[in-house]
Amino acid sequence: MGRVGIGYDAHRLVTGRKLVLGGVVIPSEKGLLGHSDGDVLLHAIADALLGAAGERDIGHFFPNSDPRWEGASSLIFLEEVRELLKRAGWVVENLDASLIAEAPKIGPYLEAMRAAIGRALGIELTRIGIKATTNEGMGFPGRGEGMAAMAVASLEKA
Ligand SMILES: [Zn+2]
């Protein structure tokens, strides 16, 4: 029988930071603030995978206090999660994530994101769903103060 997990994350948008979403650098005047690259989408996905495995969250494994993760690509987090799942005997059945952001349009980058995530986790692209929506101008994503992401993941025993 499989397991499911859920992940949620939010980061503030600030000037002077690269915007990295789903492991892909996207041209933008603002980027997401964070100890790592602030990749809100990958953080939500990592938490969904960890949750499905019954593990603690991303902040436990990759704490802000650890200089190793300063400015780190969040793809490294997914690679670490992949190893952790492998050791515990789990394989990823599928994952699905939604980005909540007013701008920019990420449609042109979706396939590159899926490819980056697939490489980091070692899974086929058909197991990876990535979507984006605006918040219709409401709340912090709507005002462009930040971005949020939600993800679910399903694991099976290897
Ligand atoms: Zn985060």
Side-chain angles (χ1 to χ4, degrees):
M1 201 40 206
R3 302 265 209 98
V4 294
I6 185 170
Y8 171 82
D9 195 25
H11 281 255
R12 193 177 289 277
L13 268 172
V14 295
T15 51
R17 292 269 301 181
K18 268 192 311 187
L19 178 63
V20 187
L21 291 169
V24 177
V25 178
I26 296 176
S28 169
E29 280 177 14
K30 291 182 174 183
L32 295 169
L33 189 61
H35 184 65
S36 63
D37 61 4
D39 193 328
V40 68
L41 196 58
L42 295 193
H43 295 178
I45 290 170
D47 262 348
L49 292 165
L50 289 168
E55 296 285 351
R56 293 182 66 182
D57 71 3
I58 188 172
H60 171 76
F61 289 100
F62 314 105
N64 286 346
S65 53
D66 191 333
R68 258 189 309 169
W69 312 124
E70 191 172 350
S73 165
S74 296
L75 287 167
I76 292 168
F77 300 164
L78 286 193
E79 288 166 7
E80 297 272 335
V81 168
R82 172 190 185 170
E83 286 307 309
L84 187 149
L85 295 177
K86 192 175 161 191
R87 282 197 298 276
W90 293 110
V91 292
V92 179
E93 174 64 22
N94 79 304
L95 62 88
D96 187 23
S98 285
L99 176 76
I100 301 142
E102 216 60 22
K105 292 265 175 266
I106 65 156
Y109 307 99
L110 279 178
E111 288 312 310
M113 291 179 189
R114 289 174 78 217
I117 293 163
R119 261 196 311 275
L121 290 174
I123 60 174
E124 302 101 319
L125 302 195
T126 52
R127 299 179 187 275
I128 303 166
I130 302 290
K131 298 169 267 70
T133 181
T134 72
N135 222 30
E136 297 281 341
M138 297 178 287
F140 72 86
R143 292 188 297 267
E145 293 168 13
M147 294 182 180
M150 291 187 281
V152 292
S154 159
L155 304 177
E156 296 282 350
K157 272 292 173 190

